[in-house]
Amino acid sequence: MNIRRFPLTREISLLVLVYLYVPVVVLVGYSFNANRTATVWSHASLDWYGRILANPTIQSAAKNSLVLALCAATAATVIALLAALATSRAFPGRGGVEAVLNTPLILPEIVVAVATLMLFVALGVQLGLGAMILAHTAFCIPFAYLPIRARLEGMNQSFGEAAQDLYANRFRCFRRVTLPLLWPGIMAGFTLAFVTSLDDFLTSFFLSGPGTTTLPVYIFSSIKAGITPEINAISTVMLVISVLLVSLSFFLGRLRR
């Protein structure tokens, strides 16, 4: 069945795309508005970008977001790499292990955030950057696991077998053969995990402590006082970073070597 034969398929698709992306375009455009009122255009200016770069509160939030995303993405990528290597061969219960690894992809984020908060409170874990790193690592694992696993499945196993025939032990075979071949998938998984952690709001909102506000939480708190071009500028910067990193992840995932 060809879905293109249904009536108004192109028109409906176009309307959906317009509905999704026009607000983003408007946000980016008004980030260059010189007027303090976000919805009233006066003339183009880059003043708001200069203000967010000079704002110490935004600098602190950006630093927290970068540290959080870097630590969570690194830990999640290491765990995902080990999980991908462990599940690359058939064993009893492999389907259940893969289902557990991919569970964060299907669970509502609000459920995961509330459950994580209740668990940390019950265990006496102090809320703050450390708690957020643990939580972000947990839900970033499937985002790093899927590109690595896909790369591992598409890898020619004859290279590893040839290395073993040449008397290379398992560690040397992994370090000199498997790891270089997996490197694009590892970087793609790390990039996806980094973007996911950087853009997360709910988990950071529930688990943040004093002095550990991230950029998404700062934006949410600032919106309560009214939307300004400063918020639009911050959102535009995060949007550009996210698009670039996702594009990089897609490019790395398609590398043949």
Side-chain angles (χ1 to χ4, degrees):
M1 181 181 296
N2 190 352
I3 193 173
R4 296 180 179 179
R5 296 181 179 179
F6 286 94
L8 300 179
T9 301
R10 294 182 179 179
E11 290 77 5
I12 294 175
S13 301
L14 180 61
L15 289 176
V16 171
L17 292 176
V18 169
Y19 176 78
L20 290 176
Y21 291 108
V22 165
V24 177
V25 174
V26 172
L27 181 145
V28 173
Y30 273 93
S31 68
F32 300 98
N33 183 17
N35 197 330
R36 184 168 183 80
T37 304
T39 57
V40 179
W41 179 268
S42 59
H43 61 274
S45 175
L46 295 174
D47 291 343
W48 295 106
Y49 288 93
R51 292 190 182 187
I52 65 174
L53 294 177
N55 191 324
T57 304
I58 297 178
Q59 292 177 2
S60 176
K63 178 182 177 181
N64 291 333
S65 295
L66 292 176
V67 171
L68 173 61
L70 183 61
C71 294
T74 302
T77 303
V78 173
I79 297 173
L81 174 61
L82 297 177
L85 293 173
T87 57
S88 61
R89 298 182 180 181
F91 62 89
R94 185 177 70 169
V97 173
E98 292 180 342
V100 171
L101 289 171
N102 295 322
T103 297
L105 294 175
I106 60 176
L107 288 178
E109 189 178 358
I110 183 65
V111 175
V112 176
V114 173
T116 305
L117 175 63
M118 295 176 61
L119 175 64
F120 285 174
V121 171
L123 296 177
V125 178
Q126 184 178 1
L127 300 183
L129 188 59
M132 288 192 292
I133 291 175
L134 292 176
H136 281 225
T137 299
F139 72 72
C140 285
I141 289 175
F143 294 95
Y145 171 78
L146 292 177
I148 297 175
R149 179 62 190 278
R151 182 75 179 184
L152 189 61
E153 289 182 350
M155 191 175 67
N156 192 344
Q157 301 296 330
S158 62
F159 293 110
E161 296 173 357
Q164 293 179 0
D165 291 340
L166 295 173
Y167 304 102
N169 55 34
R170 290 187 176 182
F171 176 75
R172 178 169 292 184
C173 179
F174 171 76
R175 184 172 63 89
R176 301 296 296 272
V177 179
T178 305
L179 187 60
L181 293 174
L182 282 180
W183 194 245
I186 295 173
M187 291 305 300
F190 173 83
T191 306
L192 279 181
F194 184 88
V195 172
T196 303
S197 176
L198 185 68
D199 294 340
D200 177 78
F201 165 72
L202 282 175
T203 303
S204 301
F205 178 76
F206 281 102
L207 300 181
S208 61
T212 58
T213 300
T214 61
L215 274 179
V217 177
Y218 173 83
I219 293 174
F220 175 77
S221 302
S222 300
I223 287 177
K224 295 180 180 179
I227 300 177
T228 64
E230 183 181 54
I231 302 300
N232 295 338
I234 299 173
S235 302
T236 301
V237 172
M238 294 188 65
L239 174 66
V240 171
I241 293 175
S242 299
V243 170
L244 291 177
L245 290 179
V246 171
S247 302
L248 177 62
S249 174
F250 178 78
F251 172 74
L252 292 174
R254 292 179 61 88
L255 285 179
R256 291 294 183 183
R257 184 177 179 180

